[in-house]
């Protein structure tokens, strides 16, 4: 109960940030919230199942494109609803077709999916509408985007919390540990995976839809940028994908670090970034939170948590 | 030998932390020592190649030119100040670009912001430039939306025309060649399925049809295509005298090589972005001669020749013959507008850019409705220069060479 209260207080406090933050801090806030939502949504499915998905930006881009296509036709809340539906439908189709894949095959498929979606959108735009770029002129300022992302993050964390406590979350962890055991235990593997995959994908789609008005101009190479998928994975891994606040705590420092690096080392950014990724995988394979825990228990001479 | 004590180290850290904090403070107007110019450009990612040819070298050259001349004179403030640069990498992503501009405007408090490279990034950063009241000199954006955009963002300036300008000029040029009996009525168009290719083919297809040309081939190919043998083989059997590709740099190079290999040598061979690059003659060898493309320069302009020399001396590479000179001219316009206004009032500078006449490497320039309408639209490699054949306001610098010389077979 206390925890819930604290969370609500924190949420309310964050909602007042646009009132006194300048445009640049607000931009940082939008970036952090955006990646926080994506990393948390990614970890919701990929954390317990250990299915590394590189399809994040496919759904993110679909959301942005839905807004670009429908912004002039429908009122904004309806556009968001349609975006969520589009994300859900694609997630179900993709999930049914691929969640029987495992390991490296799933990784490759999801990476290919991003390219597939991007090429399909391009094909449609080139051959049907004969325009590639689309304009989003919506009267939505940075502070509105910030509030929407904050609400989405709160909802995502709530869902992630519920999943971790529920039967479906437990089932997912069993699948991640050993799919054979899970099936012998009577876990409906495909249905469980599909449910979580869909929830996670819908959230990603909404994240893209909400951020679209910030860019004015949208084309496939802008919204289907594969780097986003990689960044989300590395953020979630840094924080620890199996903890509620892990992905968020990975997204915040990494995002600020990228910002600092690109401001101070614009010419060496990629090199430093590459070294950093290697370091994260080698030094902190289970994430910062897990490393912090094991350090704490070593300091207090307690047994390391299993 | 001294050993470092902890206290010494901590003191040192404290001092350097203080220094870092102080360096971040905004410079007060009365004791400013430089005019702060900020830009976020793609140093990495998909747009890095284009920015590395048309945008970044010209920003470097302009800052170097101004500072070598002692700086910019601000008569109302009674000082002449050098330029100081704050640069960021936008990593070819829109989100980074938007945030970098917010940062330049509100954290670094730069006096002027130079735009990123390309049509998409310039459109995407339009609202941000507008929100903070910075003039936006979009020198590398090709958009037919420009007349609407200048209504929406009053301080935006569009300097590279729209797809219709280039497509219509090409068609007009080919009509003349057809009337002179130099080419037949058949045209083949291959366009990259991306922004530039679609914009231009959308304008070109109806223009060709209205001019009575027969489009025997009009298709798109996916971005990133590397094998052009199927396209060239199909087109070479259609009896066209005119081959048009609205292509991107890698495709432009590959199409040339493939056409040479297949010995498909139409009388007019026109390619898209990349034809005007200084490396095109290296890629195509002797076969670059007579190839047409988008852009062009005035080969008789001394100012432009001097600009080419300075650019090559500073950057180790020549500028391209389309957007480079326009980019440099946009900076000269900014420079002259600042000096005429005499201080750093962005509103007044934007107003001067909008209404004044400027002396630049591309000649005398006066913007029309915040757009640069004096543009070279079709160019051709002649005698080692990519000369302008068609211009929106004046006659061509040279007459087109049609038919172009036959390919020299690859060794």
């Amino acid at each position: 109960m206390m925890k819930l209260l604290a969370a609500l207080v924190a949420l309310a406090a964050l909602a007042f940030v646009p009132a006194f933050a300048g445009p640049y801090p607000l931009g940082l806030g939008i970036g952090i919230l955006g990646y926080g939502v994506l990393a948390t949504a990614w970890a919701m499915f990929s954390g317990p199942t250990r299915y590394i998905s590189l399809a994040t930006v496919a759904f993110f881009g679909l959301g942005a494109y839905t807004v670009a296509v429908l912004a002039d036709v429908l009122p904004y809340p309806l556009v968001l609803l349609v975006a969520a539906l589009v994300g859900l439908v694609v997630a179900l189709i993709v999930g049914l077709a691929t969640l029987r894949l495992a390991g490296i095959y799933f990784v490759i498929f999801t990476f290919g999916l991003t390219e597939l979606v991007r090429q399909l959108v391009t094909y449609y735009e080139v051959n049907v509408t004969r325009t590639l770029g689309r304009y989003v002129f919506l009267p939505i300022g940075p502070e509105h985007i910030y509030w929407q992302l904050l609400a989405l993050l709160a909802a995502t964390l709530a869902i992630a919390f519920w999943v971790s406590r529920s039967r479906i979350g437990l089932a997912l962890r069993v699948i991640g540990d050993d799919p054979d055991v899970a099936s012998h235990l009577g876990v409906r593997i495909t249905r469980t995976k599909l449910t979580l995959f869909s929830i996670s994908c819908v959230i990603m789609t909404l994240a893209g839809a909400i951020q679209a008005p910030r860019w004015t101009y949208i084309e496939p190479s802008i919204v289907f940028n594969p780097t986003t998928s990689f960044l989300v994975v590395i953020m979630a891994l840094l924080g620890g994908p199996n903890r509620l606040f892990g992905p968020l705590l990975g997204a915040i420092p990494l995002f600020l670090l990228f910002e600092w690096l690109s401001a101070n080392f614009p010419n060496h950014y990629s090199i430093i970034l590459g070294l950093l990724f290697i370091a994260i995988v080698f030094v902190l394979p289970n994430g910062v939170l897990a490393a912090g825990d094991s350090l704490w228990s070593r300091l207090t001479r307690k047994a390391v948590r299993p | 030998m001294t050993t470092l004590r902890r206290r010494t180290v901590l003191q040192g850290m404290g001092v350097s932390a203080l220094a870092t904090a102080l360096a971040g403070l905004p410079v007060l107007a009365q004791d400013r020592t430089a005019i702060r110019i900020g830009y976020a450009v793609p140093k990495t990612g998909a747009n890095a190649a284009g920015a590395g040819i048309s945008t970044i070298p010209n920003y470097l050259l302009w800052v170097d030119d101004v500072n070598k001349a002692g700086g910019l004179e601000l008569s109302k403030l009674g000082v002449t100040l050098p330029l100081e640069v704050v640069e960021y990498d936008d990593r070819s992503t829109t989100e980074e670009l938007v945030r970098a501009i917010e940062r330049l405007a509100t954290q670094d408090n730069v006096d002027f912001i130079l735009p990123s490279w390309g049509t998409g990034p310039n459109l995407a950063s339009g609202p941000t430039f507008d929100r903070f009241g910075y003039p936006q000199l979009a020198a590398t954006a090709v958009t037919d939306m420009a007349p609407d955009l200048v209504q929406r963002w009053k301080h935006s300036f569009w300097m590279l025309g729209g797809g219709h300008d280039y497509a219509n000029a090409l068609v007009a040029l080919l009509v003349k060649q057809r009337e002179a009996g130099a080419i037949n009525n058949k045209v083949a168009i291959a366009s990259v399925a991306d922004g530039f290719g679609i914009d231009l083919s959308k304008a070109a297809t109806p223009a060709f049809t209205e001019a009575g040309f027969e489009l025997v081939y009009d298709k798109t190919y996916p971005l990133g295509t590397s094998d052009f043998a199927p396209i060239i083989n199909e087109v070479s059997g259609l009896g066209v005298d005119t081959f048009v590709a609205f292509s991107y740099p890698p495709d432009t190079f590959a199409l040339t090589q493939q056409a040479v290999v297949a010995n498909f040598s139409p009388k007019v061979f026109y390619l898209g972005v990349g034809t005007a690059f200084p490396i095109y003659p290296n890629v195509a060898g002797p076969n670059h001669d007579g190839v047409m493309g988008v852009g062009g320069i005035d080969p008789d302009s001394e100012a432009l020749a001097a600009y080419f020399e300075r650019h090559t001396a500073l950057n180790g590479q020549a500028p391209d013959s389309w957007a480079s000179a326009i980019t440099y001219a946009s900076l000269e316009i900014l420079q002259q507008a600042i000096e005429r206004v005499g201080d750093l009032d962005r509103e007044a500078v934007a107003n001067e850019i909008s209404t004044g006449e400027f002396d630049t490497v591309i000649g005398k320039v006066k913007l029309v409705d915040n757009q640069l309408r004096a543009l070279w639209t079709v160019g051709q490699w002649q005698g080692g220069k990519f000369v302008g054949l068609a211009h929106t306001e004046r006659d061509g610098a040279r007459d087109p060479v049609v038919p172009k010389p036959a390919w020299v077979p690859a060794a």
Side-chain angles (χ1 to χ4, degrees):
Chain A
M1 199 58 210
M2 281 306 288
K3 274 185 182 169
L4 183 69
L5 204 66
L8 286 176
V9 169
L11 185 67
L14 283 173
F16 280 103
V17 165
F20 52 84
Y24 176 65
L26 191 59
L28 279 185
I30 290 173
I32 289 174
L33 287 175
Y35 275 109
V37 167
L38 289 178
T40 309
W42 181 88
M44 196 189 289
F45 171 76
S46 295
T49 57
R50 299 177 191 178
Y51 277 48
I52 306 287
S53 163
L54 292 177
T56 308
V57 83
F59 292 95
F60 180 83
L62 273 178
Y65 245 96
T66 310
V67 172
V69 173
L70 297 178
D72 295 335
V73 190
L74 292 175
Y76 184 67
L78 267 183
V79 174
L80 286 187
L81 190 69
V82 174
L85 279 176
V86 169
L88 179 66
V89 170
V90 175
L92 285 175
I93 296 170
V94 168
L96 280 172
T98 65
L99 285 177
R100 292 164 206 275
L101 297 174
I104 191 73
Y105 302 104
F106 183 78
V107 182
I108 294 172
F109 174 83
T110 54
F111 186 63
L113 178 71
T114 305
E115 198 56 24
L116 176 75
V117 172
R118 172 178 162 170
Q119 292 298 342
L120 281 178
V121 170
T122 306
Y123 180 87
Y124 178 82
E125 296 281 55
V126 165
N127 293 293
V128 181
T129 59
R130 299 286 286 168
T131 51
L132 205 58
R134 283 179 178 273
Y135 300 86
V136 188
F137 291 124
L138 281 174
I140 293 178
E143 63 280 1
H144 300 118
I145 295 175
Y146 176 90
W147 284 321
Q148 290 181 56
L149 282 175
L150 187 63
L152 184 63
L153 180 66
T156 309
L157 285 171
I159 295 171
F161 177 74
W162 170 76
V163 166
S164 69
R165 292 292 189 87
S166 67
R167 284 171 59 92
I168 191 168
L170 182 64
L172 214 58
R173 282 198 293 279
V174 177
I175 295 170
D177 284 341
D178 190 333
D180 290 333
V181 171
S183 83
H184 284 297
L185 286 173
V187 175
R188 292 187 176 188
I189 293 187
T190 304
R191 204 174 74 175
T192 310
K193 286 195 290 195
L194 191 60
T195 310
L196 257 294
F197 185 69
S198 303
I199 296 175
S200 149
C201 290
V202 166
I203 295 170
M204 290 170 181
T205 314
L206 281 174
I210 289 172
Q211 288 186 74
R214 192 164 155 77
W215 304 322
T216 314
Y217 179 77
I218 282 179
E219 59 180 34
S221 60
I222 290 179
V223 293
F224 295 107
N225 183 349
T227 315
T228 310
S229 296
F230 287 106
L231 287 183
V232 165
V233 173
I234 210 79
M235 282 169 174
L237 290 184
L238 173 71
N242 286 317
R243 288 150 191 268
L244 183 60
F245 288 104
L248 192 59
L249 290 179
I252 294 170
L254 270 186
F255 184 84
L256 293 174
L257 181 73
F258 296 156
E259 189 67 17
W260 184 75
L261 282 180
S262 72
N264 292 287
F265 304 96
N267 297 312
H268 307 97
Y269 172 82
S270 303
I271 300 171
I272 299 173
L273 196 66
L275 291 174
L276 203 78
F277 283 6
I278 295 172
I280 289 175
V281 174
F282 269 108
V283 182
L284 301 165
N286 292 320
V288 170
L289 287 185
D293 271 0
S294 79
L295 185 70
W296 175 250
S297 50
R298 229 185 308 162
L299 287 177
T300 52
R301 295 174 186 282
K302 281 180 193 160
V304 179
R305 256 168 50 146
Chain B
M1 292 290 279
T2 50
T3 49
L4 279 177
R5 288 159 182 271
R6 185 151 61 169
R7 179 178 293 174
T8 325
V9 174
L10 285 176
Q11 278 169 347
M13 283 167 68
V15 169
S16 59
L18 189 67
T20 317
L22 285 176
L25 288 176
V27 187
L28 296 172
Q30 53 268 34
D31 53 30
R32 61 160 65 241
T33 56
I35 298 170
R36 288 162 69 77
I37 302 290
Y39 55 82
V41 286
K43 286 166 177 278
T44 53
N47 297 341
I53 286 173
S54 300
T55 300
I56 299 171
N58 284 299
Y59 289 178
L60 296 175
L61 177 64
W62 178 62
V63 171
D64 189 63
D65 281 351
V66 170
N67 286 347
K68 269 187 188 153
L72 290 187
E73 190 194 346
L74 303 175
S75 53
K76 280 188 192 155
L77 306 179
V79 286
T80 300
L81 296 178
L83 302 181
E84 182 186 287
V85 168
V86 183
E87 61 166 354
Y88 296 128
D89 177 8
D90 70 28
R91 283 175 257 150
S92 304
T93 65
T94 312
E95 178 58 32
E96 295 298 326
L97 175 61
V98 169
R99 207 170 50 251
I101 293 172
E102 288 172 343
R103 183 180 187 135
L104 288 167
T106 63
Q107 302 299 111
D108 302 314
N109 294 304
V110 297
D111 298 304
F112 291 95
I113 300 177
L114 306 181
S116 188
W117 177 89
T119 308
N122 266 295
L123 290 166
S125 50
T128 318
F129 272 95
D130 185 57
R131 189 149 46 97
F132 299 114
Y134 281 81
Q136 180 187 13
L137 287 146
T140 51
V142 177
T143 171
D144 287 319
M145 293 271 289
D148 303 331
L149 296 174
V150 295
Q151 297 301 320
R152 195 176 280 277
W153 308 316
K154 301 286 180 203
H155 300 336
S156 69
F157 304 92
W158 303 86
M159 322 270 297
L160 207 55
H164 282 90
D165 295 323
Y166 297 100
N168 293 343
L170 175 64
V171 173
L173 184 143
L174 292 174
V175 166
K176 272 191 194 160
Q177 293 300 318
R178 187 183 59 188
E179 283 166 1
I183 54 171
N184 68 13
N185 203 29
K186 290 183 178 170
V187 175
I189 305 178
S191 318
V192 62
D194 200 57
F196 174 80
I198 298 308
D199 265 7
L200 267 92
S201 77
K202 193 170 72 175
T205 302
F208 271 113
T209 317
E210 276 167 33
F213 279 102
E214 188 189 347
L215 286 176
V216 291
Y217 182 96
D218 185 7
K219 289 184 186 166
T220 61
Y221 59 86
L223 186 65
T225 299
S226 55
D227 179 12
F228 290 93
I231 295 178
I232 294 293
N233 290 345
E234 185 176 348
V235 169
S236 67
L238 297 174
V240 295
D241 277 350
T242 305
F243 177 73
V244 173
F246 297 119
S247 51
Y248 276 153
D251 333 342
T252 299
F253 304 149
L255 277 164
T256 310
Q257 284 161 345
Q258 186 60 39
V260 173
V261 167
N263 199 24
F264 166 61
S265 186
K267 290 174 181 163
V268 173
F269 193 70
Y270 173 101
L271 302 169
V273 188
T275 321
F277 284 3
I279 46 166
Y280 185 76
N282 303 346
V283 174
N287 289 320
H288 74 276
D289 200 41
V291 171
M292 289 191 199
V294 62
I297 56 158
D298 179 356
D300 306 319
S301 158
E302 282 172 21
L304 201 65
Y307 156 72
F308 265 62
E309 258 176 43
R310 289 203 312 281
H311 187 292
T312 312
L314 183 75
N315 295 306
Q317 67 182 34
D320 79 86
S321 298
W322 181 27
S324 273
I326 309 277
T327 305
Y328 191 80
S330 76
L331 302 170
E332 289 181 299
I333 291 172
L334 175 65
Q335 170 182 347
Q336 289 165 30
I338 294 173
E339 290 193 313
R340 277 179 213 168
V341 168
D343 64 16
L344 298 167
D345 177 355
R346 285 187 285 274
E347 185 72 32
V349 170
N351 199 35
E352 178 60 30
I353 295 173
S354 181
T355 55
E357 191 182 45
F358 303 92
D359 201 11
T360 72
V361 291
I362 55 167
K364 288 244 186 291
V365 167
K366 190 171 189 319
L367 299 185
V368 183
D369 210 7
N370 283 12
Q371 297 156 63
L372 176 64
R373 297 299 306 148
L375 289 167
W376 289 105
T377 44
V378 185
Q380 184 177 35
W381 283 101
Q382 291 182 10
K385 284 182 175 174
F386 192 67
V387 302
L389 302 180
H391 192 274
T392 47
E393 288 185 345
R394 47 175 279 198
D395 289 336
R398 294 279 188 276
D399 286 329
V401 175
V402 180
K404 70 165 192 64
W407 297 132
V408 178

